[in-house]
Amino acid sequence: MEVVALLRSIEEMKRTGWAKFHVGGNEAEIVEVIKGIGAQLGPFARGRTKSVAEVLLPQERHNAHPRSLSARFGTGQLPFHAELSHRSKPCRYLVLGCVDPGTSISATLLIDWHRLGLTEQEVELLESAPVLVRTGRRSFYSTMLPRSHEYLRFDPGCIQAVDARGNVALSILEERIGSAMPYRHDWRKGDILLIDNWRVLHGREATEMNTNRKLARVLIDG
């Protein structure tokens, strides 16, 4: 990918929350492309496999990591979430590269949470309602929105309300997300998505096992 085109894509992502482009190459070349993009954005964050670049395949619930979304939803639709919400602060950016779109359509969905139309009262509730962030022995209490509003901590797989206010806050987000019109990206081999993880929630349509759907991913702190 040309340096000028890469810089334009990064600027577009920082301006709008996400950007896309297309490259050629095999799996190894696509992985190198997304690693190169990640290196331009900041230090790499490690996922559960501890690898800089991970290759994602649809997982049945019984085969998935016990604290992952796939463990709850399997090949069904994955709900909208911010990546690494189980950490003290979610990762800053997410870069996905399509190695193989698979034999059945399974789009990635994007929603800018700034456009959910939250009222001042709802924002205040997200800032103050306590939630439990479940991450095994290192679980902790937090809120979904810090006072700075720099990111939204949201992941149905690891966030749990601890009182009535937390239940209301979660219900508000789920209702707003459910009524929003997401961007729908149908993958082609070589497609690259850059996502501002602090601004844009992402999800996945339902898929099937043995379709060969394969996405490469890097996570970046910022």
Side-chain angles (χ1 to χ4, degrees), residues 65-78:
H65 189 284
R67 292 195 296 273
S68 68
L69 282 174
S70 293
R72 286 188 58 188
F73 300 97
T75 56
Q77 181 168 335
L78 289 186

Side-chain angles (χ1 to χ4, degrees), residues 93-189:
Y93 302 111
L94 169 69
V95 184
L96 298 172
C98 183
V99 176
D100 191 328
T103 56
S104 66
I105 296 174
S106 179
T108 290
L109 307 173
L110 306 177
I111 287 179
D112 183 346
W113 69 265
H114 293 103
R115 298 180 179 274
L116 292 178
L118 297 167
T119 67
E120 287 187 19
Q121 292 77 15
E122 290 167 344
V123 168
E124 182 179 352
L125 181 63
L126 293 174
E127 291 177 350
S128 59
V131 294
L132 175 63
V133 183
R134 293 185 289 105
T135 178
R137 291 177 295 177
R138 298 180 179 176
S139 298
F140 61 96
Y141 294 100
S142 184
T143 61
M144 286 182 283
L145 193 64
R147 296 292 181 182
S148 64
H149 297 181
E150 61 183 351
Y151 60 83
L152 178 68
R153 182 194 306 282
F154 184 70
D155 185 337
C158 70
I159 291 177
Q160 177 181 328
V162 296
D163 62 12
R165 297 176 72 248
N167 279 319
V168 172
L170 283 170
S171 295
I172 288 170
L173 278 178
E174 290 166 357
E175 179 181 344
R176 294 300 175 87
I177 289 170
S179 61
M181 294 293 292
Y183 166 73
R184 183 177 186 275
H185 185 77
D186 292 310
W187 290 101
R188 301 175 299 158
K189 180 178 180 179

Side-chain angles (χ1 to χ4, degrees), residues 1-13 18-24 29-30 32-38 41 94-98 183 185-195:
M1 184 181 183
E2 294 182 1
V3 173
V4 172
L6 171 59
L7 293 176
R8 285 175 178 169
S9 295
I10 290 174
E11 287 304 311
E12 180 182 356
M13 183 263 296
W18 60 273
K20 62 179 180 178
F21 58 90
H22 189 81
V23 298
E29 291 168 324
I30 291 171
E32 286 305 308
V33 167
I34 66 171
K35 286 171 64 177
I37 295 169
L41 293 171
L94 169 69
V95 184
L96 298 172
C98 183
Y183 166 73
H185 185 77
D186 292 310
W187 290 101
R188 301 175 299 158
K189 180 178 180 179
D191 280 355
I192 308 292
L193 270 182
L194 288 73
I195 302 171

